[in-house]
Structure formats: structure tokens, C-alpha cells
Amino acid sequence: IMEVINHYRSSLSKSLSSGPGPFNDILAKIESRSGIGRQTVFEGCALLTLLWLALAPPSAPFVSGLICFVYPAYKTKIALKTWNNRDDIHWMTFWVIFGVCTVLDVIFAPYVFLYWPLKTAFLLWCMNPEIKGSVVIYEGELWSYVQKEAKTINKLVSIEKEKREKT
């Protein structure tokens, strides 16, 4: 387990020191003024945020949505302006997973203890530029399932389309 944690901390460290950007600029200012490393600052803020999500349920959907929307929206805009297809795949698959999680909010949020911190942590893993969790999911079981069930999915979509055209 410690090996996995150290791997994720190492990739986090790469992400937090990977060039300019508004987030890295803020962390650099905090680091220079406080003398505390940017990874420590980030991990402390992340822990406080996850605690807040666990202990302040009325604001949890908004805070989780804000965290999981703003940075990916910014990175998607940048990715769409480049010719690198790999980052497009990362962010497009992230948005599919984000949409699925948003639908699952209605089903699981009222019943699953610590739903909002778990969802936020999962989506942070999916959006991490070093780990690219959304690509891991896309290239793993999810994509093979979608390919296997493509005919059924297309049939259901066409049935729904026909129903809507009749009304």
C-alpha cells in the first residue's frame, strides 16, 4: 500500500511543479511566503477540503462541483487549442465520467456516507494530469464494455428517437 501511495505522491509532486499556470502560481507564492513546500500546502488544503465536504453536507454538492468543474474546464479549453490528441482523450473521457458521477449523485448521495468526499477524491484522481485516471478507466473495462454492448446501446437510442419523433 505504501508503494502505491508513494507513487501517487510522486506523480502529484510532478503535477504541482510542472510549469506555469494560475494554480501553480498561487502555490509558488504560498510556498515562498510560508517556507512550506507546495506539495505539503496542497495536501493540507485537500485534506481540509475533504473534511469540509464530509462535515458540511448542505454546501458539499456546490463545493464538490466547483472543485471538479473549474480546473477541468480550464484544461479542456487549453487541450482543444492544441494538436495533441492524447490530452483531448484525457479531458473528453473525464467529462463522460463527470457526467456519470453527476447522474449517480441523485441515486447515491442521500444514502452513501461520505459520498461527496469520495466522489471528489475520485474525480481528482481522474483529472490528475500525471495519472490520468479517466484514461485508465477509458482504456480498461469501461471501453471494452461499451464496444461489446454498442449494438444494444444503438438500438435503445434509435427506439427512443423513434418514440420522440412520434410525439
Side-chain angles (χ1 to χ4, degrees):
I1 294 176
M2 286 307 293
E3 187 177 309
V4 172
I5 291 171
N6 288 333
H7 168 72
Y8 284 124
R9 289 191 82 221
S10 171
S11 66
L12 175 65
S13 178
K14 288 178 190 175
S15 296
L16 294 176
S17 58
S18 64
F23 189 68
N24 281 336
D25 294 345
I26 292 168
L27 285 174
K29 285 180 185 178
I30 294 171
E31 183 178 31
S32 68
R33 289 183 182 174
S34 69
I36 301 171
R38 66 177 66 190
Q39 184 167 351
T40 304
V41 170
F42 178 82
E43 289 171 348
C45 290
L47 181 62
L48 288 173
T49 302
L50 290 174
L51 282 171
W52 182 23
L53 289 170
L55 301 174
S59 64
F62 174 74
V63 173
S64 177
L66 192 65
I67 291 168
C68 298
F69 179 80
V70 173
Y71 177 75
Y74 169 76
K75 293 301 279 186
T76 301
K77 182 180 177 191
I78 292 170
L80 292 174
K81 291 184 177 187
T82 66
W83 291 101
N84 181 0
N85 197 17
R86 190 74 180 155
D87 60 356
D88 293 350
I89 291 171
H90 174 214
W91 292 111
M92 292 303 127
T93 54
F94 171 82
W95 289 114
V96 170
I97 292 168
F98 180 84
V100 169
C101 287
T102 302
V103 170
L104 294 177
D105 291 349
V106 176
I107 301 167
F108 293 112
Y111 308 108
V112 176
F113 180 65
L114 299 177
Y115 175 79
W116 296 108
L118 292 171
K119 174 192 172 186
T120 304
F122 170 70
L123 288 174
L124 286 171
W125 175 77
C126 286
M127 73 174 83
N128 183 299
E130 292 295 321
I131 300 168
K132 294 184 170 117
S134 59
V135 175
V136 170
I137 293 170
Y138 169 74
E139 291 175 347
E141 292 298 315
L142 180 66
W143 185 243
S144 63
Y145 175 77
V146 169
Q147 285 181 320
K148 188 171 40 172
E149 299 297 329
K151 289 180 183 176
T152 306
I153 293 169
N154 289 335
K155 189 175 182 180
L156 290 172
V157 168
S158 65
I159 290 170
E160 279 300 313
K161 188 177 178 182
E162 289 174 9
K163 286 181 183 177
R164 289 184 185 197
E165 288 175 354
K166 289 180 182 178
T167 57

